[in-house]
Amino acid sequence: MFSVLSYGRLVARAVLGGLSQTDPRAGGGGGGDYGLVTAGCGFGKDFRKGLLKKGACYGDDACFVARHRTADVLGVADGVGGWRDYGVDPSQFSGTLMRTCERLVKEGRFVPSNPIGILTTSYCELLQNKVPLLGSSTACIVVLDRTSHRLHTANLGDSGFLVVRGGEVVHRSDEQQHYFNTPFQLSIAPPEAEGVVLSDSPDAADSTSFDVQLGDIILTATDGLFDNMPDYMILQELKKLKNSNYESIQQTARSIAEQAHELAYDPNYMSPFAQFACDNGLNVRGGKPDDITVLLSIVAEYTD
């Protein structure tokens, strides 16, 4: 069972209401502001529940899409499941982190060219909570500056994004790992565990900035996708995306998430994760059962 993000339709309506009459893929226009038409889909690892948790969470994953007059911003985060062994719900940290980022954007408390700043401010708020919020999470933030047509990104850990243009990947985030299957992560540990629990600074996030074009496809996802689907499979699915309307984007996001989910439970499939494990001297085969979150966006032109 899957769940499609309900807020995706709201975002799409807001953007589509001002789309130019020409198809963005035709390359027409280019002088106006840009926006993102976004839809999302995902699975919790315990897929039998199959429902989106409060706060836009699939299992221990979390995500958000937010709009401000200066930029469209979205993000994904993957809560570290190991905290469950200590009686901590891993989704609470990732979910609170993403909800805080979303609020900061809606309040205008961010600079589009500095997505690391969004992560830093959100993380600091979590650290200052009167009731400690324990946990760890990776995070990826993507910001489209409407006027400059530049995409600004910050990626900490093994979630990430890719930008597709003309059927090819033209930009891709770099995965950050301390060692195999141990990604960079934001953490809050109890006092007795400080210095023992792995914790990275938001400033350690890999940050990039580049121009985008009308019709560019931006896929942002947690490692549940990238560990189970190589880029060529993702590109095959994206070829089915024929236009920039919300329904087409939603259908494609769902198709990608469903395929990744099926492959995750295929014991005979040599997944990217299994290949990476073999490269590190481990005898592993099959998919990687994991939470999967997919946000699929198209860059479109709109007018006020």
Side-chain angles (χ1 to χ4, degrees), residues 268-289:
N268 299 313
Y269 168 60
M270 181 56 75
S271 64
F273 177 80
Q275 185 61 59
F276 189 28
C278 291
D279 291 344
N280 281 270
L282 302 175
N283 185 17
V284 175
R285 189 173 182 85
K288 179 193 175 189

Side-chain angles (χ1 to χ4, degrees), residues 81-184:
W83 283 95
R84 193 170 281 106
D85 296 337
Y86 301 92
V88 175
D89 180 356
S91 71
Q92 291 298 310
F93 187 93
S94 57
T96 303
L97 181 70
M98 292 292 95
R99 287 193 298 272
T100 305
C101 288
E102 179 180 12
R103 176 174 52 79
L104 293 172
V105 172
K106 290 181 175 179
E107 293 175 352
R109 296 169 56 195
F110 74 107
V111 176
S113 60
N114 183 23
I116 288 181
I118 300 175
L119 270 183
T120 300
T121 304
S122 180
Y123 181 53
C124 286
E125 285 200 15
L126 268 59
L127 288 171
Q128 294 168 3
N129 281 346
K130 292 182 179 179
V131 178
L133 178 68
L134 304 181
S136 305
S137 175
T138 66
C140 181
I141 303 293
V142 174
V143 182
L144 174 63
D145 187 313
R146 295 220 187 99
T147 303
S148 70
H149 306 166
R150 287 184 67 81
L151 200 73
H152 306 280
T153 72
N155 186 60
L156 185 79
D158 57 3
S159 294
F161 71 91
L162 53 84
V163 179
V164 176
R165 180 183 303 152
E168 297 182 354
V169 176
V170 294
H171 297 283
R172 199 188 203 288
S173 57
D174 291 325
E175 188 173 291
Q176 294 180 311
Q177 296 266 8
H178 287 285
Y179 43 87
F180 174 68
N181 207 27
T182 307
F184 283 32

Side-chain angles (χ1 to χ4, degrees), residues 7-258:
Y7 58 68
R9 182 174 295 275
L10 298 177
V11 173
R13 283 177 177 169
V15 177
L16 284 171
L19 278 177
S20 61
Q21 295 302 308
T22 58
D23 187 334
R25 296 172 187 274
D33 287 355
Y34 285 6
L36 296 178
V37 185
T38 300
C41 186
F43 291 87
K45 185 161 55 178
D46 185 2
F47 63 93
R48 290 170 296 179
K49 296 180 180 179
L51 297 175
L52 189 67
K53 288 184 181 180
K54 182 179 180 181
C57 295
Y58 295 109
D60 299 334
D61 286 357
C63 58
F64 77 94
V65 174
R67 302 184 70 243
H68 186 261
R69 59 181 176 77
T70 60
D72 288 352
V73 186
L74 53 86
V76 297
D78 179 7
V80 176
W83 283 95
R84 193 170 281 106
D85 296 337
Y86 301 92
V88 175
D89 180 356
S91 71
Q92 291 298 310
F93 187 93
S94 57
T96 303
L97 181 70
M98 292 292 95
R99 287 193 298 272
T100 305
C101 288
E102 179 180 12
R103 176 174 52 79
L104 293 172
V105 172
K106 290 181 175 179
E107 293 175 352
R109 296 169 56 195
F110 74 107
V111 176
S113 60
N114 183 23
I116 288 181
I118 300 175
L119 270 183
T120 300
T121 304
S122 180
Y123 181 53
C124 286
E125 285 200 15
L126 268 59
L127 288 171
Q128 294 168 3
N129 281 346
K130 292 182 179 179
V131 178
L133 178 68
L134 304 181
S136 305
S137 175
T138 66
C140 181
I141 303 293
V142 174
V143 182
L144 174 63
D145 187 313
R146 295 220 187 99
T147 303
S148 70
H149 306 166
R150 287 184 67 81
L151 200 73
H152 306 280
T153 72
N155 186 60
L156 185 79
D158 57 3
S159 294
F161 71 91
L162 53 84
V163 179
V164 176
R165 180 183 303 152
E168 297 182 354
V169 176
V170 294
H171 297 283
R172 199 188 203 288
S173 57
D174 291 325
E175 188 173 291
Q176 294 180 311
Q177 296 266 8
H178 287 285
Y179 43 87
F180 174 68
N181 207 27
T182 307
F184 283 32
Q185 54 201 260
L186 302 176
S187 299
I188 299 179
E192 63 272 17
E194 288 182 1
V196 177
V197 173
L198 187 64
S199 182
D200 297 286
S201 166
D203 289 335
D206 182 61
S207 181
T208 62
S209 296
F210 48 85
D211 293 333
V212 292
Q213 299 177 12
L214 292 174
D216 280 358
I217 300 170
I218 302 167
L219 185 146
T220 311
T222 54
D223 67 322
L225 172 68
F226 298 118
D227 281 343
N228 287 297
M229 285 185 72
D231 285 0
Y232 80 88
M233 283 190 182
I234 295 174
L235 290 174
Q236 287 176 346
E237 290 300 311
L238 291 178
K239 288 179 181 178
K240 302 174 183 178
L241 189 58
K242 301 302 182 184
N243 56 61
S244 60
N245 67 57
Y246 173 80
E247 287 72 20
S248 178
I249 299 171
Q250 181 188 71
Q251 183 177 3
T252 304
R254 181 172 64 190
S255 177
I256 291 171
E258 285 178 335

Side-chain angles (χ1 to χ4, degrees), residues 261-272:
H261 177 68
E262 291 176 5
L263 292 171
Y265 291 89
D266 184 345
N268 299 313
Y269 168 60
M270 181 56 75
S271 64

